[in-house]
Amino acid sequence: MPDTALLAADLVAITALTFVLYLPRHRRRDLVVAYLGVNVGVLAVSAALGSATVGPGLGLGLFGVLSIIRLRSTELAQSEVAYYFSALALGLIGGLGVASAPVGLALMALILVVMAVGDSPRLLRRYRSQTVVLDRAFTSEAALVAHLEHLLGARVHAVDVQRLDLVNDTTWVDVRYALPAGGTGVAEDARRQPTAAGAAR
């Protein structure tokens, strides 16, 4: 049976994960509801059904079912997927009661620390991923990279051409780049260019 301390700790942890870490950084209200609902729902189900014998199988089953639900819902950014599974993991730790209270509390704290550091805006702050549509068809990767570096005012690390339209003379490309020191967001040059448009992921 789950420890009451773990149940209470889970509620504190999901509150911190959602309202202290996620919401101030991403400002997406619908996922606040999703994270709270997933966590408390998993906590309630695992607390009601979990035991030392069926706990691991139940946990894996919940992960699988909720993964299918996520795949059939609105597309999430990778950072939002990380929050999603952190909320799920917190609920499982709190509800299954397969670990002692100190171990469970330590695991919950570890999840919060990892998310706080991994999703910090100060970590790799100059690195960006952008989908860019160019009104030129680039058949040369070197020319494409040079054009993107000039357009974005940044160093391009990787490009993945998603669509090359020679009829309409357009190129769709996913570009990974790093802004120069002191750079902020998409370069101003990119916004001024009438020949290209980008959509941030």
Side-chain angles (χ1 to χ4, degrees):
M1 293 298 293
D3 192 305
T4 304
L6 288 178
L7 297 178
D10 171 73
L11 297 178
V12 174
I14 190 59
T15 300
L17 181 75
T18 304
F19 294 103
V20 177
L21 297 180
Y22 177 76
L23 189 59
R25 293 176 178 179
H26 299 276
R27 303 290 181 181
R28 187 169 172 181
R29 182 183 179 278
D30 59 329
L31 286 182
V32 169
V33 179
Y35 296 147
L36 292 175
V38 165
N39 176 266
V40 176
V42 168
L43 178 69
V45 172
S46 58
L49 302 178
S51 70
T53 55
V54 302
L58 175 64
L60 291 175
L62 287 173
F63 263 106
V65 170
L66 292 172
S67 296
I68 295 173
I69 294 174
R70 189 198 71 79
L71 290 174
R72 293 184 177 275
S73 61
T74 304
E75 182 180 354
L76 302 178
Q78 293 303 310
S79 60
E80 293 169 336
V81 173
Y83 278 99
Y84 187 98
F85 282 103
S86 295
L88 175 58
L90 290 173
L92 289 174
I93 293 172
L96 289 178
V98 295
S100 63
V103 173
L105 294 174
L107 291 174
M108 289 182 182
L110 177 62
I111 291 173
L112 293 177
V113 169
V114 168
M115 292 303 297
V117 174
D119 192 43
S120 172
R122 297 183 179 181
L123 181 67
L124 303 175
R125 61 188 303 174
R126 295 190 296 114
Y127 287 83
R128 299 288 189 274
S129 175
Q130 193 88 358
T131 298
V132 181
V133 182
L134 305 170
D135 72 344
R136 288 174 54 188
F138 287 90
T139 56
S140 168
E141 182 174 336
L144 174 61
V145 169
H147 182 77
L148 287 170
E149 289 186 338
H150 173 73
L151 186 67
L152 299 172
R155 180 183 177 186
V156 172
H157 290 285
V159 292
D160 179 20
V161 178
Q162 299 178 339
R163 178 180 175 186
L164 180 62
D165 192 335
L166 298 176
V167 176
N168 296 315
D169 201 24
T170 58
T171 305
W172 296 58
V173 60
D174 179 69
V175 55
R176 314 291 171 85
Y177 61 97
L179 297 172
T184 56
V186 178
E188 288 293 330
D189 289 343
R191 288 196 288 267
R192 296 193 190 101
Q193 286 285 344
T195 60
R201 283 187 169 184

